[in-house]
Amino acid sequence: MDVIKAVETYVIKLIATPPTMKVLLLDSHTTPIVSLATTQSTLLSHQVYLTDRIDNKKRDRMPHMKCVCFLQSNEDSLAALEAELGEPKYGEYYLCQLVNLRALADHLEPQSLPINVDFSNILNKTAIERLAEADEYEVVKEVQLIRVTNLLQEYFADYAPLLPCLFSFNHTPTSSKPLYGSSPNIWDNKALEQTVKELTAVLLSLKKKPIIRYEKMSGMAKKLASEVQHRIRSEPSLFDFRLAQVAPLLLILDRRNDPVTPLLSQWTYQAMVHELLGIQNGRVDMKMVPDIRPELAEILLTTNTDPFFQAHYLATFGDLGTSLKDYVQSYQSRSMAHSPSFINSISDMKKFVEEYPEFRKLGGNVSKHVALVGELSRLVGRDKLLEIGEVEQGLATNAGADYRSVQVLLLDPSIAPRHKLRLVILYALRYQKTQTNNIANLIKLLLANGVSEEDARLVYVFLNIAGADQRQDDLFSTESLLAKGRSALKGLKVGGHAMLFPSSVYEPPPESASTAPSVNLNLGGVNVSLGGPGGTGVFRTSGEGVGMQADGIRDGVLSLFDKVKQGVDRIGIQ
């Protein structure tokens, strides 16, 4: 299942017609889809000599050129296309393949199924009529539709393929386009509809009719699963694929069941770049890097165009330094072979001319990764990420981390406020039920050491949205045997919804204080609780009295960071 190949196949199909010089017109939604799935050389091989945005008002008029439009079926793109057809800049327009828009609108009945033009989503009869009325010069020659006749092409490329096994819908919730409805366990209707459309597009592009599984404690996961299943059942002809020996599985998870993983510092190449610099649709903005060369101010970082990144995007930071050193030495040896002293004959000159473009491309790629890894190394040292990461790993594993180690890092002025906030959120998630006073003290320490009041309130937001009472599993393995049984039974509840959240997610969870016992004795790794609202009982210690297994985990973590430190030391390249 390769989503890049799936989308690339659709892009090649839609630019195959007309078989002449053409312009490819995109919008803000389809531009990253095309740029991630194909290359400029591929577009040129299909006679696409210009790629532009439909909202670019400064485009030149080229009546001798034909135009292929690939747009999302939203109001902005429809309005832009109406304006384009009212004052056409190109000789002919191809909204993919079929008939004149006026004839198409005349043949569509009001009760017809929705149709998909070479828009990436659904257009209805009203939208087609709007475009037909705007096409006063009848420059639209062909339209490609979905679900009308067997003669028509189907394009399901409504998502951004980041890796062969990874895609994104590029949803960034805002106040005008929220993800949640009335509570963090309910979808916003528009966000749900958009997600269902795009997830269905992924399944159709991969030609998969999956079995769907979801986390029962997540109301949003259940709702998404039921909507996708309904869409599959309502379109049996579209999902009429050959049955596989093992049915594909669509597994829908809720991040609230594991809020810890995205809070940890990342130590693999691609994850570090995204965490520290940011990767947006395969591009990395390096403008803020000190002394960066102009040609490296923005770099392309995708596995289908970069062989070094393809081989090492999952490499740990320690191994990355060694691999980059070998990459640079390989380039240096090839550069020696291309020096003038090695060109002594006509055959040497011919070989040099043939290999020079590839050699120049290799040099640019080496420079890119040297600059990128060098900046990562600088940020790791500046922000003390190795020291922070050691405490993070302790909080995330059975090893635990003590209150004092977190305090020391919060008091360090050289550590950025966002890293301090991550540490306190991790501490609060782990010790939510046992150390509420310490959590409150750490929040006060955040406010006194550079973290804004608005950001500090996010600690309680996490506890209310993804705290212990909202998760299905014992994330930190700190529950007693009886508590584990209750969690297991909770997970077996069919169609169950997580409890509704408090009216304000910015306040301490009320259940945290109520579970604190009045007397808590530590007897060799066992807590004995006597009295108090939490009741009487015997519980396993959550953080203190680390046993042999936890010691082994801690030793492994320290060994990992020793390896990373060695890698950082090896990154310095002459």
Side-chain angles (χ1 to χ4, degrees):
M1 293 189 290
D2 188 333
V3 291
I4 292 180
K5 287 294 183 183
V7 175
E8 183 183 32
T9 300
Y10 286 134
V11 172
I12 291 174
K13 283 184 179 179
L14 70 91
I15 62 177
T17 303
T20 183
M21 292 177 59
K22 63 183 79 71
V23 175
L24 179 60
L25 212 54
L26 307 170
D27 61 15
S28 60
H29 179 78
T30 57
T31 297
I33 295 175
V34 173
S35 65
L36 286 167
T38 189
T39 61
Q40 188 66 38
S41 58
T42 301
L43 295 177
L44 286 172
S45 68
H46 289 82
Q47 303 188 68
V48 177
Y49 291 98
L50 177 63
T51 303
D52 212 330
R53 289 270 295 267
I54 195 169
D55 54 358
N56 179 14
K57 305 297 183 182
K58 298 181 180 180
R59 285 180 286 116
D60 295 329
R61 192 170 182 274
M62 301 179 183
H64 61 288
M65 296 284 281
K66 303 184 188 329
C67 178
V68 175
C69 297
F70 180 42
L71 311 170
Q72 188 185 35
S73 58
N74 56 34
E75 184 59 34
D76 292 340
S77 294
L78 281 173
L81 186 55
E82 282 185 272
E84 181 73 18
L85 297 180
E87 297 182 8
K89 292 181 172 59
Y90 311 106
E92 294 179 1
Y93 286 77
Y94 291 76
L95 313 179
C96 290
Q97 287 169 299
L98 190 58
V99 295
N100 180 275
L101 282 173
R102 295 184 186 278
L104 175 62
D106 292 339
H107 284 84
L108 285 176
E109 296 298 328
Q111 67 272 20
S112 295
L113 287 173
I115 60 175
N116 196 327
V117 190
D118 189 19
F119 284 74
S120 59
N121 254 326
I122 306 299
L123 283 179
N124 54 28
K125 180 176 185 290
T126 302
I128 295 293
E129 289 176 339
R130 284 175 56 185
L131 296 180
E133 291 173 0
D135 187 23
E136 297 178 5
Y137 300 95
E138 298 193 357
V139 290
V140 177
K141 299 301 179 184
E142 293 183 352
V143 180
Q144 290 186 356
L145 306 175
I146 290 179
R147 310 182 220 181
V148 181
T149 73
N150 292 331
L151 299 176
L152 307 179
Q153 298 296 317
E154 299 176 341
Y155 296 108
F156 306 103
D158 201 13
Y159 59 92
L162 304 178
L163 294 171
C165 58
L166 177 67
F167 60 88
S168 172
F169 297 148
N170 283 337
H171 288 181
T172 303
T174 62
S175 57
S176 59
K177 295 181 179 180
L179 176 65
Y180 299 118
S182 58
S183 81
N185 200 40
I186 298 176
W187 282 92
D188 174 78
N189 290 333
K190 291 183 179 179
L192 174 63
E193 177 62 23
Q194 187 71 13
T195 303
V196 171
K197 285 180 181 180
E198 293 169 339
L199 187 53
T200 305
V202 174
L203 298 175
L204 289 169
S205 67
L206 296 173
K207 296 180 170 54
K208 301 296 181 182
K209 184 180 179 180
I211 297 171
I212 303 176
R213 296 287 183 266
Y214 62 92
E215 286 186 325
K216 292 182 180 179
M217 289 303 296
S218 171
M220 294 183 71
K222 179 183 178 182
K223 181 65 174 176
L224 179 59
S226 61
E227 290 295 323
V228 172
Q229 183 66 26
H230 174 73
R231 193 67 59 92
I232 291 174
R233 289 175 177 173
S234 63
E235 298 288 356
S237 59
L238 285 180
F239 286 90
D240 186 20
F241 305 128
R242 184 174 61 183
L243 295 178
Q245 290 183 348
V246 178
L249 175 66
L250 173 60
L251 184 61
I252 301 177
L253 304 177
D254 193 328
R255 172 50 68 191
R256 289 185 303 160
N257 207 36
D258 174 19
V260 171
T261 300
L263 290 171
L264 299 174
S265 297
Q266 303 300 311
W267 296 105
T268 57
Y269 192 16
Q270 184 187 43
M272 287 186 73
V273 175
H274 187 52
E275 178 83 10
L276 300 178
L277 298 172
I279 306 176
Q280 184 64 32
N281 294 319
R283 296 184 178 275
V284 181
D285 188 351
M286 301 273 284
K287 297 185 183 68
M288 303 302 293
V289 176
D291 302 321
I292 193 69
R293 302 205 315 254
E295 64 270 22
L296 296 175
E298 183 181 71
I299 61 176
L300 183 65
L301 199 65
T302 59
T303 57
N304 57 333
T305 59
D306 188 332
F308 182 82
F309 189 62
Q310 166 75 46
H312 300 96
Y313 73 96
L314 293 178
T316 62
F317 198 43
D319 294 334
L320 181 62
T322 302
S323 300
L324 183 59
K325 180 180 178 182
D326 294 340
Y327 193 44
V328 172
Q329 290 177 343
S330 173
Y331 171 69
Q332 290 175 338
S333 63
R334 292 191 62 176
S335 64
M336 291 290 293
H338 286 83
S339 64
S341 60
F342 282 81
I343 302 177
N344 300 315
S345 65
I346 297 296
S347 60
D348 290 339
M349 294 175 62
K350 181 180 178 181
K351 183 179 179 181
F352 172 80
V353 171
E354 291 175 347
E355 294 181 355
Y356 184 73
E358 182 182 353
F359 171 73
R360 185 177 180 183
K361 180 181 178 181
L362 175 62
N365 212 42
V366 169
S367 299
K368 175 178 73 176
H369 287 287
V370 168
L372 199 55
V373 176
E375 176 61 10
L376 293 179
S377 179
R378 186 183 73 86
L379 294 176
V380 166
R382 185 197 69 181
D383 295 342
K384 297 187 176 180
L385 294 183
L386 292 175
E387 291 82 354
I388 293 173
E390 186 173 349
V391 176
E392 288 175 352
Q393 293 295 328
L395 289 170
T397 64
N398 288 338
D402 58 23
Y403 177 65
R404 178 59 185 164
S405 63
V406 177
Q407 278 186 315
V408 170
L409 292 176
L410 295 186
L411 293 170
D412 191 333
S414 64
I415 296 178
R418 67 180 184 278
H419 297 311
K420 296 178 181 179
L421 180 61
R422 285 194 297 113
L423 280 173
V424 176
I425 292 174
L426 282 169
Y427 187 93
L429 287 170
R430 181 177 181 90
Y431 298 115
Q432 175 183 355
K433 296 290 187 180
T434 59
Q435 300 185 22
T436 54
N437 289 336
N438 285 348
I439 294 171
N441 290 335
L442 289 177
I443 293 175
K444 293 178 182 177
L445 206 57
L446 283 178
L447 295 172
N449 287 274
V451 178
S452 68
E453 182 178 355
E454 182 179 1
D455 287 343
R457 295 170 74 190
L458 291 175
V459 177
Y460 287 135
V461 171
F462 266 80
L463 295 184
N464 281 301
I465 291 181
D469 292 328
Q470 311 300 332
R471 298 194 297 267
Q472 177 173 315
D473 302 319
D474 178 20
L475 190 59
F476 297 102
S477 300
T478 58
E479 290 183 343
S480 66
L481 184 60
L482 293 176
K484 288 179 182 293
R486 288 196 297 269
S487 294
L489 292 174
K490 181 172 66 173
L492 290 174
K493 185 177 179 181
V494 179
H497 290 263
M499 60 176 288
L500 292 178
F501 298 93
S503 58
S504 173
V505 296
Y506 295 101
E507 300 299 330
E511 64 273 13
S512 295
S514 66
T515 57
S518 58
V519 178
N520 188 357
L521 303 177
N522 189 303
L523 304 175
V526 176
N527 280 346
V528 180
S529 300
L530 304 174
T536 300
V538 180
F539 305 95
R540 191 181 66 191
T541 307
S542 60
E544 290 74 26
V546 179
M548 293 180 61
Q549 183 180 8
D551 287 336
I553 295 174
R554 183 184 294 275
D555 292 341
V557 171
L558 294 176
S559 176
L560 169 64
F561 281 103
D562 287 341
K563 187 176 182 183
V564 172
K565 289 178 180 177
Q566 294 172 11
V568 172
D569 295 337
R570 289 197 295 263
I571 287 173
I573 297 173
Q574 302 300 327

